[in-house]
Each structure stands twice: as C-alpha cells, then as structure tokens.
Amino acid sequence: MLKIFEGDIVTMKKPHPCGKNEWQIIKTGVDMKIKCVGCGREVMISRFDFYGRVRKVLIDGHFESVRTSKEFEGR
C-alpha cells in the first residue's frame, strides 16, 4: 500500500488549470484533501480516486514514481 503522509508533495496525472502539477497533502483519511502548490486551491478527492491519479511523490528532494519505485512495490 502506498504510504502518503500529511505534508507530502505529489504530482498527479493531469496538471491543475493554473499550470502547476505539484500538490501538498493537507488531510488523509477516507477522503484526501490536497492543495495546489501554485495557486493554493484546496480540493477534496476520494482515496480511491487519489491513488488512481497520483504519479510521483517527493522523497529527499526528488520525485519518485509510484509505479516503478521499489519502496512502493508492495502495492
């Protein structure tokens, strides 16, 4: 299972209309609350949809793909 924590920065499948593709995790639970790093817009998304749309997670200053990273193999 992909482990996402509050404060993590992720990239999603499609960019936000403001042009930025980085989102900060604000709240986790049944629904995920994410905030656009570019414009500050906050969005609620179901956990199921979130895991289907997330592509990369910022780890130690660089983005790791959730599809190919060994850290996320147990998914």
Side-chain angles (χ1 to χ4, degrees):
M1 182 64 133
L2 177 63
K3 294 185 180 177
I4 299 289
F5 300 101
E6 292 178 12
D8 285 351
I9 304 291
V10 298
T11 61
M12 303 298 271
K13 185 176 182 180
K14 294 183 180 179
H16 191 249
C18 75
K20 202 72 166 162
N21 195 23
E22 296 177 5
W23 297 83
Q24 180 180 14
I25 306 299
I26 302 296
K27 177 187 157 293
T28 59
V30 175
D31 293 326
M32 306 288 278
K33 187 172 189 179
I34 57 177
K35 178 176 152 183
C36 179
V37 173
C39 66
R41 169 80 70 177
E42 294 182 1
V43 177
M44 293 287 288
I45 185 171
S46 73
R47 182 177 284 274
F48 179 78
D49 288 338
F50 175 81
Y51 283 137
R53 295 178 187 179
V54 69
R55 293 298 180 245
K56 297 179 183 178
V57 179
L58 184 66
I59 299 173
D60 296 329
H62 65 280
F63 283 99
E64 290 279 334
S65 173
V66 297
R67 306 292 185 238
T68 59
S69 176
K70 293 182 182 192
E71 181 176 341
F72 303 115
E73 272 184 3
R75 196 166 179 230

